[in-house]
Amino acid sequence: MEYVTAVPHPRSEAAAHSGSGRRSLAVALLFGALGAAVALLSSRQRWAEGTATVAGGAFPLTAKGSDVTGVPAALAIVGLAALVAVFAVRRAGRFLVSGLLALSGAGIVVAALAGASDGSALDERAAEASGDTSATVAALSHTGWPYVAAAGGALILVAGLLALRYGRLWPAMSGRYERGTGAQRPRRAPKPVDPDRPEDIWKALDRGEDPTGA
């Protein structure tokens, strides 16, 4: 008679954790890198356009994302660095870096959405073009690039949330180059002393050995 138990097998549970870790790692790397690239690219595109009245005529003005706000580009670099740093730290350090990654994505979303309706950058250019400090831009319009930047920030945010949830299952950088605390490297045996070579005799004396072999 066979018995059925509801307790999961340790090996199958470990395999499930390993599979979840690999999948979440791949998704986080893809979303984080893609989100940072999208946010940086969007910051270099035209976000707003309008006209300024100069000498009785309309002078066209444009503003890139970096002119409107430099927050998305800066946080994209921070998020990319945090994504790499996740694998260099463990335990509490990984949790903190994962939180920084998530906050970078959230900051990009907020800054990009705020810049989607901001016309202050074009107002400054209108004042410079007209020579009137009180001049403002006319026929103000915005492109869809701020929302593309916000989408990039959302991808970084998802990567940060995945790191917070599954980061403990991800691998860390190898400790091959870390200095060991207990293990010592075996010392090589000294070469036999050749009595016909004076330099070998002097080296043996420096080591505190008897070159005569007595």
Side-chain angles (χ1 to χ4, degrees), residues 17 20-21 23-25 94 160-171:
H17 281 294
S20 300
R23 287 190 297 270
S24 61
L25 173 60
R94 176 168 292 185
L161 295 177
L162 288 174
L164 288 171
R165 174 63 178 84
Y166 298 100
R168 58 185 177 83
L169 304 176
W170 295 354

Side-chain angles (χ1 to χ4, degrees), residues 23-39 79-80 83 101 151-162:
R23 287 190 297 270
S24 61
L25 173 60
V27 173
L29 287 175
L30 176 62
F31 280 20
L34 181 60
V38 168
L80 196 59
L83 182 64
L101 178 62
L155 291 176
I156 297 177
L157 174 59
V158 172
L161 295 177
L162 288 174

Side-chain angles (χ1 to χ4, degrees), residues 99-112:
L100 177 62
L101 178 62
L103 289 176
S104 298
I108 292 174
V109 173
V110 173

